[in-house]
Amino acid sequence: MTMDQLYLPILLILVVAVIARIPTAIRVPTARPAWFATLIAVPAFMTRGPIIPIQTLDAWMGGENIIFLVQSWLVVFAFWGLAEAAGTDITSSERPKLRLWIPLLSCLAFTIPFFLIPNREGTELFFIDAHVNDLAAIICGVLYMAAVAGICARLLIRLHGRDAPAHWVFRIGASLVIAGCVLWSTAIILDHTLSLGRTPIVWMYIGFDILFYPGVVALALGLVAFAAQRAIRQLILRRRVAALQGILTSRSFTIDENDRPLPFVAYDLMVQIEDLRILGAIRPTVEEQRTLDKVARWVEQTFPQVHDITTS
């Protein structure tokens, strides 16, 4: 099965994922960058022609390969959203700070030389390759790859010091994408400036495919691993909150209504239990004390910011 044949099933999966993740994106701020990346990926794949041929799409836009520019913008924003999701601390309940100026400036940088490319008529699937003799096309292509590679490099910087398995998957994916971008940029520059013949250049383009697309897959797998990690974390949280609530309800104490994120609920319950114990109203059993100790260690190690926020 070729990549072209995979576009339609991948598109359908993305559409289902976008719709299914809407409630989570609304409820959980840190889940929004991943949802945004998936949302942008839908039109990015649609412009590859799985439903409407590229020639038709480009004809609607004037027939001057504007479709390449649209694809490039969508790819940059999808990578940006994916990188923001990968670099977001999933233990935080704060709204992530999205720096939209990064993809906007990156896209503007390669949009300017795009409109300086002469004779853009005639839809080309590989637009830059077809205009490799034009300096403006080379600048456009290099700046496009630089935008993607720069976003991935920023992701690697943000992941410094994080050692979760998903973070290593992201590091591998980002490194492969950067290597692919460098190789493709080198290929079009050499193709433009030197007469090496088509064989070496073709192998460099093949090398780009070998590096870039597995890198994208690795980044997507990293997001899947993060989603699984989030689901497991929520399950553990619910169980621990239920255990804390059980300590109070078994002694007929009232539990205050709390609509805050689960880690804060767990912390508040622990504070309530500790206050009652100081007053002599609660004497935890050996088993309950084990539960309290376990939850206390877990909150301090996994959510150290909870203490800072709730006591400020």
Side-chain angles (χ1 to χ4, degrees), residues 199-219:
T199 300
I201 300 299
V202 167
W203 277 109
M204 294 180 76
Y205 289 143
I206 292 174
F208 164 77
D209 291 340
I210 294 173
L211 293 170
F212 187 87
Y213 293 110
V216 174
V217 171
L219 290 171

Side-chain angles (χ1 to χ4, degrees), residues 113-131:
F114 171 83
F115 285 106
L116 298 178
I117 301 173
N119 304 318
R120 288 186 285 107
E121 298 81 3
T123 305
E124 297 285 352
L125 182 59
F126 303 103
F127 174 70
I128 297 298
D129 299 349
H131 291 77

Side-chain angles (χ1 to χ4, degrees), residues 154-170:
R154 181 171 176 268
L155 171 59
L156 291 176
I157 295 172
R158 293 181 67 185
L159 291 179
H160 179 71
R162 302 186 188 182
D163 295 322
H167 291 140
W168 285 105
V169 177
F170 281 128

Side-chain angles (χ1 to χ4, degrees), residues 66-95:
I66 299 298
I67 188 65
F68 165 80
L69 194 60
V70 173
Q71 289 172 345
S72 302
W73 273 69
L74 290 171
V75 167
V76 169
F77 270 89
F79 265 98
W80 172 78
L82 192 151
E84 289 296 315
T88 299
D89 181 5
I90 65 169
T91 66
S92 174
S93 62
E94 297 180 0
R95 186 186 304 272

